[in-house]
């Protein structure tokens, strides 16, 4: 493995010729990944789960109120929060492999 392994969800824009050429130019390896898999995308299982917990039980009366709470959520997270999400990826990926690619919760 070189220095960078690029994690993408293999959706159509991410597998376009231009994207593939750029990845080859940068000499980045890519990680195999099923389309739109919530088991492997850190934003889906780590970031959005935390956001869901933050918003759980709250009632909003306007879109502006929702936006303010979401901004508050992101403002409250430090660098370590995001680092933890990234560092947990290998463990999460191993669980998916152990389940033969089946979705996990």
């Amino acid at each position: 493995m070189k220095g960078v392994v690029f994690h993408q969800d293999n959706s159509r824009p991410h597998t376009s010729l231009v994207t593939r050429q750029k990845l080859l130019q940068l000499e980045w390896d890519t990680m195999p990944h099923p389309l739109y898999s919530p088991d492997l995308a850190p934003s889906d299982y780590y970031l959005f789960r935390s956001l869901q917990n933050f918003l759980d039980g709250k009632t909003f009366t306007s879109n502006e109120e929702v936006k303010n709470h979401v901004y508050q959520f992101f403002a409250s997270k430090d660098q370590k929060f995001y680092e933890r999400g990234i560092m947990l990826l290998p463990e999460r990926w191993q669980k998916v492999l152990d389940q033969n690619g089946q979705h996990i919760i």
Side-chain angles (χ1 to χ4, degrees), residues 4-61:
V4 174
V5 178
F6 186 69
H7 181 224
Q8 63 175 339
D9 67 3
N10 287 320
S11 63
R12 185 170 281 167
H14 298 155
T15 58
S16 72
L17 180 59
V18 172
T19 301
R20 287 182 287 136
Q21 287 174 333
K22 188 59 163 180
L23 291 171
L24 283 171
Q25 177 189 358
L26 294 171
E27 298 182 352
W28 288 2
D29 291 328
T30 57
M31 172 172 270
H33 186 121
L35 288 171
Y36 304 108
S37 173
D39 299 329
L40 299 176
S43 58
D44 288 339
Y45 87 90
Y46 186 75
L47 177 64
F48 293 145
R49 183 174 289 167
S50 183
L51 177 60
Q52 179 181 1
N53 290 336
F54 178 78
L55 297 173
D56 191 38
K58 293 183 175 58
T59 305
F60 304 103
T61 58

Side-chain angles (χ1 to χ4, degrees), residues 44-89:
D44 288 339
Y45 87 90
Y46 186 75
L47 177 64
F48 293 145
R49 183 174 289 167
S50 183
L51 177 60
Q52 179 181 1
N53 290 336
F54 178 78
L55 297 173
D56 191 38
K58 293 183 175 58
T59 305
F60 304 103
T61 58
S62 70
N63 284 339
E64 195 62 33
E65 200 175 343
V66 174
K67 287 179 189 178
N68 288 337
H69 273 78
V70 171
Y71 289 139
Q72 180 185 355
F73 168 79
F74 284 109
S76 73
K77 300 300 176 198
D78 62 9
Q79 182 177 339
K80 291 200 181 296
F81 171 80
Y82 297 102
E83 286 175 0
R84 179 167 165 68
I86 299 286
M87 298 309 290
L88 287 172
L89 284 173

